[in-house]
Amino acid sequence: MPALVLLGAQWGDEGKGKATDLLGGSVDYVVRYQGGNNAGHTVVVGDQKYALHLLPSGILSPGCTPVIGNGVVVDPSVLLSELSGLNERGVDTSKLLVSGNAHLITPYHETLDKTTERFLGKRRIGTTGRGIGPSYADKINRVGIRVQDLFDESILLQKVEAALDFKNQVLAKLYNRRAISAEQVVEELLGYAEHLKGFVADTTLVLNDAIDEGKVVLFEGGQGTLLDVDHGTYPFVTSSNPTAGGACTGSGVGPTKINRVIGILKAYTTRVGAGPFPTELFDDDGEALRTIGGEFGVTTGRNRRCGWFDAVIARYATRVNGLTDFFLTKLDVLTGWEQIPVCVAYDIDGERTTELPYNQSDFHHAEPVYEYLPGWSEDITKAKTFADLPKNAQAYVKTLEEMSGAPISAIGVGPGRDETIQVNSFL
Ligand code: GDP
Ligand code: IMO
Ligand code: MG
């Protein structure tokens, strides 16, 4: 089983960090392929809790080489502070590899992200404000700065000047802000270069060689399927491709090399930021899910919007990612409800559909159609096998599996590494 992708099947925060960490001990490489420090992946090891933003969760597994692929946008200051934070806690980060082709997030990207959001006012996306969108926009506009540019001072200055030419006009004339000095940006970036040099590698070559040698490579997605810039709820999305295809473009590994695609799926649904969310709850149940599930953003600390499980979305994730398995997380959070609503279809202006509408206005009008499954009250956090789960919890999992279109191969019953029921092996 040389290469597998692990990605979010909903709107992010499904528990990808925990799932990656769980596999970390058995894989040789863990690769981030898109996104940047907009991600917040929580890993709980014993009594230690780690919040990772840019680094792959495999960094916590000693035998594993963590890789930041070409598809990631790298804020060098965040990368260095995340590394030193882990070093202070005794984590060895020396194996990290960073693609020289990954694009940088510079201070002006962060400034533009925040000013654009402010300018959008009521129409804002609710971004994390980390400069993600502006950095990817520069990449596509061919005025981006790449990791490798850090090591050639004159090229770096030329590129930063080219990138700022237009932006400074926008900042000064439209946003009424001070223009940014290219020299100052270059000076800051050069200050990171020496610290990063040792990590930079031709990661595409490294990963393809590793797969050819039979090593196990795990691609760890950031965000989630419905936040994908192509397949998500555009424009309320992130600016990259968390879906399975992104693992190929974001790492330089071809689709024929990937054997398994695992969708991380929360037993209910959450979303951070603006955009449609059919099963969102505004009542005590929503508040209870938030409190019991600890649904507060790891990156921005914002309250996560909470709602019931949406099988239409899960099925859609199976389709656009070609999922082979699901990892169902946070089943324990649902303990205590007498009955649990599950969205099986949408009612859109009087018409029932079981597929995600491709028309955005339809999706904004979608009313959830619920089926009600019987709940359970027993504590399930100590369950080690599927048979340990109460009958109604088993039935909840089986029903979700039938509705979602791929086998549920693991079930999370708590945040810890060992609070997992493995139904089928991933490797
Ligand atoms: P990610 O962005 O997909 O890695 O997810 P986050 O770390 O943002 O949010 C998931 C949260 O749920 C974290 O606090 C995890 O520690 C926690 N978590 C993961 N799996 C489980 C589970 O099965 N049960 C419970 N109770 N918590 C979990
Ligand atoms: P993980 O990896 C949840 C959301 C933001 C906003 C939209 C665009 O922890 O699951 P961006 O800063 O990316 O331009 O913001 O995407 N968003 C996330 N929501 N989890 C994440 O990451 C997210 N990363 C971005 O809230 O709505
Ligand atoms: Mg998260």
Side-chain angles (χ1 to χ4, degrees):
M1 183 59 60
L4 51 159
V5 181
L6 194 154
L7 53 82
Q10 293 150 321
W11 275 287
D13 304 323
E14 298 90 348
K16 297 176 291 292
K18 173 188 157 167
T20 304
D21 171 67
L22 192 69
L23 287 168
S26 335
V27 307
D28 300 297
Y29 293 82
V30 174
V31 188
R32 277 285 306 270
Y33 57 87
Q34 49 66 237
N37 58 307
N38 48 349
H41 295 181
T42 319
V43 180
V44 179
V45 187
D47 60 357
Q48 292 289 309
K49 187 168 168 176
Y50 299 88
L52 299 166
H53 297 283
L54 182 54
L55 292 167
S57 304
I59 197 119
L60 300 173
S61 302
C64 181
T65 302
V67 179
I68 293 182
N70 56 276
V72 175
V73 282
V74 177
D75 184 327
S77 68
V78 171
L79 179 56
L80 291 175
S81 73
E82 206 162 313
L83 285 171
S84 65
L86 288 176
N87 293 152
E88 278 163 25
R89 295 175 73 177
V91 177
D92 175 16
T93 57
S94 60
K95 283 185 162 176
L96 175 71
L97 300 177
V98 180
S99 167
N101 287 345
H103 280 247
L104 293 178
I105 299 178
T106 67
Y108 52 81
H109 292 127
E110 209 178 308
T111 304
L112 277 168
D113 193 353
K114 289 177 179 154
T115 38
T116 309
E117 281 282 277
R118 228 171 287 141
F119 199 73
L120 280 170
K122 268 202 312 223
R123 289 172 294 139
R124 69 181 167 272
I125 308 293
T127 72
T128 59
R130 300 298 191 261
I132 306 294
S135 175
Y136 277 116
D138 276 3
K139 173 178 174 172
I140 301 301
N141 267 334
R142 293 159 297 187
V143 290
I145 315 292
R146 296 189 292 173
V147 168
Q148 59 179 288
D149 297 326
L150 289 174
F151 311 111
D152 188 327
E153 191 172 339
S154 81
I155 283 188
L156 183 64
L157 180 62
Q158 285 173 45
K159 290 196 175 184
V160 171
E161 278 172 347
L164 279 175
D165 230 14
F166 177 73
K167 289 182 187 68
N168 272 336
Q169 303 276 340
V170 175
L171 280 173
K173 294 187 181 147
L174 193 63
Y175 294 144
N176 222 357
R177 306 258 313 197
R178 248 190 301 155
I180 294 170
S181 142
E183 284 75 18
Q184 263 177 25
V185 171
V186 167
E187 193 186 323
E188 178 176 338
L189 291 177
L190 287 174
Y192 304 125
E194 212 41 51
H195 302 283
L196 291 178
K197 201 162 194 169
F199 296 119
V200 179
D202 181 351
T203 51
T204 295
L205 183 62
V206 171
L207 292 172
N208 278 286
D209 281 352
I211 292 172
D212 289 346
E213 286 166 23
K215 299 258 168 59
V216 184
V217 178
L218 173 68
F219 297 93
E220 175 187 8
Q223 295 76 54
T225 299
L226 275 299
L227 286 172
D228 186 284
V229 68
D230 284 277
H231 300 293
T233 47
Y234 190 91
F236 301 103
V237 292
T238 192
S239 301
S240 66
N241 290 116
T243 49
C248 297
T249 50
S251 69
V253 169
T256 51
K257 301 277 172 74
I258 290 170
N259 320 66
R260 211 148 171 183
V261 185
I262 304 160
I264 313 302
L265 186 67
K266 213 179 276 196
Y268 50 97
T269 315
T270 63
R271 172 163 207 171
V272 195
F277 178 2
T279 64
E280 182 170 15
L281 294 166
F282 301 94
D283 58 7
D284 291 350
D285 281 333
E287 197 49 48
L289 286 175
R290 186 173 306 115
T291 312
I292 302 167
E295 298 297 353
F296 307 96
V298 178
T299 299
T300 57
R302 289 179 288 181
N303 276 3
R304 292 176 181 157
R305 300 157 64 191
C306 296
W308 299 121
F309 184 82
D310 186 335
V312 181
I313 278 173
R315 243 187 339 270
Y316 178 74
T318 306
R319 166 155 48 101
V320 298
N321 292 300
L323 295 182
T324 56
D325 304 79
F326 279 114
F327 187 145
L328 186 72
T329 60
K330 304 191 94 159
L331 185 65
D332 52 301
V333 174
L334 294 179
T335 299
W337 266 275
E338 213 162 293
Q339 52 175 12
I340 308 169
V342 169
C343 171
V344 294
Y346 299 142
D347 182 316
I348 299 171
D349 303 328
E351 273 197 43
R352 188 179 161 126
T353 173
T354 53
E355 294 296 347
L356 196 92
Y358 74 88
N359 182 300
Q360 59 183 359
S361 306
D362 286 345
F363 194 55
H364 279 265
H365 293 156
E367 292 290 336
V369 177
Y370 286 117
E371 243 175 50
Y372 296 84
L373 306 184
W376 60 92
S377 55
E378 301 89 333
D379 175 19
I380 63 169
T381 56
K382 304 282 176 305
K384 295 286 171 235
T385 67
F386 190 69
D388 293 341
L389 291 174
K391 284 282 167 294
N392 285 350
Q394 291 186 14
Y396 186 80
V397 174
K398 280 290 157 204
T399 307
L400 262 48
E401 181 173 82
E402 277 158 31
M403 290 174 175
S404 305
I408 292 176
S409 296
I411 304 161
V413 292
R417 256 182 195 170
D418 52 347
E419 289 169 312
T420 305
I421 297 171
Q422 197 75 45
V423 183
N424 308 305
S425 164
F426 286 128
L427 294 164

